[in-house]
């Protein structure tokens, strides 16, 4: 029983450690896409700057 308890504690510590870890750039870019932005930098500019995100949807002239 003690071995199971120790194993469960180690598992919970590993999960907690993983949840507290900062996400990598690829994950941040994907989350930004879900929010409607091209990448993490675009999202950050819209969140903290003057960019409103409309530039993400503008089409360049050919």
């Amino acid at each position: 029983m003690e071995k199971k308890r120790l194993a469960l504690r180690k598992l919970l510590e590993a999960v907690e450690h993983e949840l507290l870890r900062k996400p990598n750039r690829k994950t941040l870019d994907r989350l930004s896409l879900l929010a409607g932005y091209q990448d993490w930098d675009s999202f950050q500019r819209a969140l903290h700057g003057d960019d409103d995100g409309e530039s993400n949807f503008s089409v360049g002239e050919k």
Side-chain angles (χ1 to χ4, degrees), residues 1-61:
M1 188 67 164
E2 185 63 29
K3 285 183 179 181
K4 287 182 181 180
R5 194 181 109 161
L6 182 60
L8 181 58
R9 179 179 295 253
K10 284 184 178 185
L11 176 62
L12 290 174
E13 287 174 0
V15 168
E16 182 181 62
H17 176 73
E18 188 66 28
L19 289 174
L20 295 176
R21 193 178 74 174
K22 183 178 178 182
N24 65 28
R25 181 57 185 247
K26 187 175 180 180
T27 301
L28 294 173
D29 283 342
R30 288 181 177 177
L31 290 172
S32 298
L33 282 172
L34 289 173
Y37 294 89
Q38 293 296 317
D39 55 23
W40 180 246
D41 292 330
S42 300
F43 178 71
Q44 288 295 302
R45 283 193 302 273
L47 190 63
H48 299 292
D50 296 330
D51 189 7
D52 62 2
E54 286 297 319
S55 61
N56 288 324
F57 301 103
S58 63
V59 179
E61 294 188 18

